[in-house]
Amino acid sequence: MKSQRISRSYNDARIINITSAAGLIAMDGGSLYAGSKFAAEAFSTCLRHECEAFGVHVATVNPSFHTSNLTGQMGPHIIRLLDTLRPEVKEEYGEEYFQQYYNNQVEMPQKVMWDGSNVRDEIIRCIELKVPPPQVVIGLDARFMILAIRHLPVWLQDIFLFNTGGPSRKVKPSCMIG
């Protein structure tokens, strides 16, 4: 890591990292995505503490499901991914698992999708505020449900999130699919 002298000319500077509500609570079927978002949250928190003395403000913007290029391509992308799986992998998981996975990743989010302009507006607000909030959670589902769940003990989070009547299945981490 290269070291450089930081001058006071960085006062009122901002670093705004766009992460995701997936970086605030872990859900099955998204270990790689959520893991990268949790890492971005931790990185931003450390960076915020390190930059504070220099007047550099670090904020994360954590949208839930909002209209975007990513969410718009989710369905076709998952279908392409599932089409590339080896037959023995499809058999091991079972058709019911893949139907539930598609429902959880595509169909359910479409029902609670927020307007993407909300994300844009919050990013602009973080830029314009003299002191932006350290973490901005966007979407009522994320603000209330996810943030409330985060305050529960982990064992209770698991019961609430993973024992909701979905199909019984042998779940493997998403990084093992393929």
Side-chain angles (χ1 to χ4, degrees):
M1 183 174 223
K2 183 180 177 185
S3 174
Q4 75 178 39
R5 189 180 137 157
I6 298 179
S7 71
R8 285 294 186 198
S9 64
Y10 290 113
N11 266 345
D12 297 326
R14 281 151 186 67
I15 298 171
I16 301 170
N17 288 332
I18 314 303
T19 63
S20 170
L24 303 175
I25 189 165
M27 304 284 285
D28 64 339
S31 55
L32 296 174
Y33 182 78
S36 70
K37 300 308 174 183
F38 269 87
E41 275 297 311
F43 171 78
S44 298
T45 299
C46 292
L47 190 61
R48 181 172 43 257
H49 295 298
E50 293 168 1
C51 293
E52 184 178 24
F54 303 103
V56 177
H57 301 285
V58 179
T60 58
V61 175
N62 306 74
S64 61
F65 286 102
H66 285 71
T67 55
S68 68
N69 290 339
L70 175 66
T71 57
Q73 293 299 313
M74 191 81 79
H77 174 73
I78 289 175
I79 289 171
R80 281 192 306 274
L81 174 69
L82 296 178
D83 286 344
T84 64
L85 294 176
R86 296 185 317 267
E88 60 270 16
V89 172
K90 289 181 181 181
E91 184 178 330
E92 184 176 352
Y93 278 86
E95 184 61 32
E96 184 183 17
Y97 172 82
F98 293 115
Q99 288 173 348
Q100 185 67 39
Y101 181 82
Y102 186 86
N103 181 58
N104 291 346
Q105 299 297 320
V106 179
E107 292 175 5
M108 285 177 48
Q110 292 294 327
K111 296 175 184 173
V112 295
M113 194 78 63
W114 303 93
D115 185 347
S117 65
N118 295 330
V119 179
R120 178 202 62 214
D121 294 346
E122 287 297 323
I123 293 169
I124 291 170
R125 189 174 74 85
C126 286
I127 293 169
E128 293 176 342
L129 286 172
K130 181 157 179 69
V131 179
Q135 186 180 72
V136 178
V137 180
I138 307 170
L140 292 177
D141 54 336
R143 282 190 181 160
F144 296 108
M145 187 188 92
I146 292 175
L147 292 180
I149 290 171
R150 285 178 65 194
H151 293 288
L152 298 173
V154 173
W155 65 269
L156 195 51
Q157 289 179 29
D158 288 348
I159 290 171
F160 184 77
L161 293 171
F162 305 115
N163 295 329
T164 56
S168 63
R169 61 188 187 266
K170 298 178 209 168
V171 179
K172 291 183 179 179
S174 61
C175 60
M176 292 178 67
I177 296 177

